[in-house]
Amino acid sequence: MFMILAVGALATVLLAPPYTPVVEAQIVALDSTLVSFARARAEARAGRRIDAMRSYIAGAAQAVSASDWGLYRADISWIATRNELQAFDAASAAGRVTLLRTIWSSRDTRDGIAPGGRFGEHVRRFDIATADFRVRPKRGKVPVARASNAEGDDYDYIAGRSSMLRDFVPTQGMIDDRGVILIRHGEPDTRVVSSGGIESWIYQRETSDNLVVHFGEALFDGSSGNTTLIAAPPLSTLAALCGVDAASCQVGNRRIGAAAIDRRERLRQRSLAAIRELTTTESAGPKR
């Protein structure tokens, strides 16, 4: 029974190319990397986080094939730094096991949480992201463009929602931009959906400006519900944030086309900085 559950669970954790391993039809030994990796996630979901890390590391210690290492490389790619990924690629088998242990334990220490806590939180977030924010284009295409902005002005068409330029280019096509940020930082403190389907996430900060990012529905080849990051949303979206973000409110409450370009551009630069931070860093504290 466990074998069936473990292999089934892997259908949700084999991640995006170029590191997606191909699972061939075969009989899997009970102590294989494949099963240990799945067991680690099952134990994390059950709250047995120390056991989860033991299984996770045990699976890595048994890794012998490219597909075995692909499981781990893809898993850490959601939260690891560029240097950590480069070190993983260059390391020996024993070095990779050590690096995996260090990646997770160093984050537990950094954020003052119990051993195995960061990995457990990673599994929780990953499950949510793949359930709620999975990209499902109709013909296998990755999102490449935004939806049109009917209320926009010239600024919107050049720099805002209707611009063809992406404010964040994902390195995978598995989950949308909301899922990327959720895996890295957890749920936002405030989530607002405004007219036109624009969604805004706000992460509160005690010692600096809040991090505010916006998501607009993209052209996902006919699918719906998926979004991409937008640094300059329509003014109506900014107005909807009155009460939760003063800077957005000040710009959004001006009439369409009347908000000063320099004020809007400063707000866009703030959004771009938030996008960079939320898509390149990670934090452990769960938000429920």
Side-chain angles (χ1 to χ4, degrees):
M1 174 62 72
F2 176 78
M3 173 63 66
I4 295 174
L5 293 176
V7 175
L10 286 171
T12 66
V13 299
L14 301 182
L15 308 182
Y19 301 103
T20 301
V22 177
V23 180
E24 299 176 349
Q26 58 181 331
I27 297 176
V28 183
L30 286 175
D31 61 348
S32 71
T33 292
L34 190 70
V35 170
S36 293
F37 185 89
R39 182 185 297 118
R41 287 178 127 68
E43 290 168 337
R45 294 181 186 111
R48 302 196 305 272
R49 294 181 174 181
I50 292 179
D51 291 339
M53 282 309 303
R54 287 174 179 161
S55 295
Y56 191 85
I57 297 302
Q62 298 162 341
V64 294
S65 67
S67 62
D68 287 344
W69 287 119
L71 285 172
Y72 287 92
R73 210 289 185 179
D75 195 38
I76 64 172
S77 69
W78 296 102
I79 58 97
T81 66
R82 180 179 299 178
N83 287 342
E84 286 171 334
L85 290 176
Q86 290 175 344
F88 183 89
D89 291 339
S92 64
R96 287 178 175 180
V97 173
T98 298
L99 183 59
L100 287 168
R101 184 182 290 110
T102 299
I103 284 174
W104 295 109
S105 64
S106 66
R107 285 159 171 80
D108 290 340
T109 301
R110 176 197 66 192
D111 294 310
I113 57 179
R118 183 64 183 94
F119 176 70
E121 177 64 6
H122 171 69
V123 172
R124 185 188 76 84
R125 295 174 183 176
F126 186 83
D127 287 348
I128 294 171
T130 53
D132 296 345
F133 303 126
R134 184 179 288 275
V135 173
R136 293 185 175 90
K138 286 187 175 179
R139 289 187 290 276
K141 296 181 180 178
V142 174
V144 295
R146 300 183 180 133
S148 62
N149 178 12
E151 66 176 72
D153 56 17
D154 289 343
Y155 182 85
D156 291 314
Y157 287 108
I158 294 170
R161 181 189 179 196
S162 294
S163 169
M164 291 298 292
L165 299 176
R166 290 290 303 267
D167 291 319
F168 168 67
V169 179
T171 57
Q172 48 74 46
M174 180 180 182
I175 58 175
D176 76 5
D177 293 355
R178 292 170 299 179
V180 171
I181 291 179
L182 186 139
I183 289 176
R184 286 183 170 274
H185 291 278
E187 294 88 339
D189 295 290
T190 304
R191 184 173 174 179
V192 178
V193 178
S194 58
S195 62
I198 305 297
E199 189 169 324
S200 301
W201 286 15
I202 301 175
Y203 290 88
Q204 296 177 353
R205 295 292 183 266
E206 294 181 357
T207 59
S208 59
D209 288 341
N210 294 337
L211 297 175
V212 183
V213 288
H214 312 281
F215 308 89
E217 190 166 337
L219 298 178
F220 279 30
D221 191 32
S223 63
S224 62
N226 298 124
T227 63
T228 183
L229 280 157
I230 300 169
L235 293 178
S236 58
T237 293
L238 301 178
L241 298 183
C242 288
V244 291
D245 185 62
S248 297
C249 184
Q250 289 172 2
V251 174
N253 269 340
R254 296 170 180 265
R255 291 172 313 182
I256 299 298
I261 294 297
D262 60 343
R263 189 183 294 254
R264 296 179 69 181
E265 182 58 25
R266 285 196 299 271
L267 201 60
R268 186 175 79 94
Q269 291 301 322
R270 188 188 73 155
S271 292
L272 288 172
I275 289 171
R276 284 192 294 272
E277 179 170 346
L278 291 172
T279 57
T280 61
T281 65
E282 50 82 26
S283 56
K287 301 187 185 299
R288 302 186 187 279

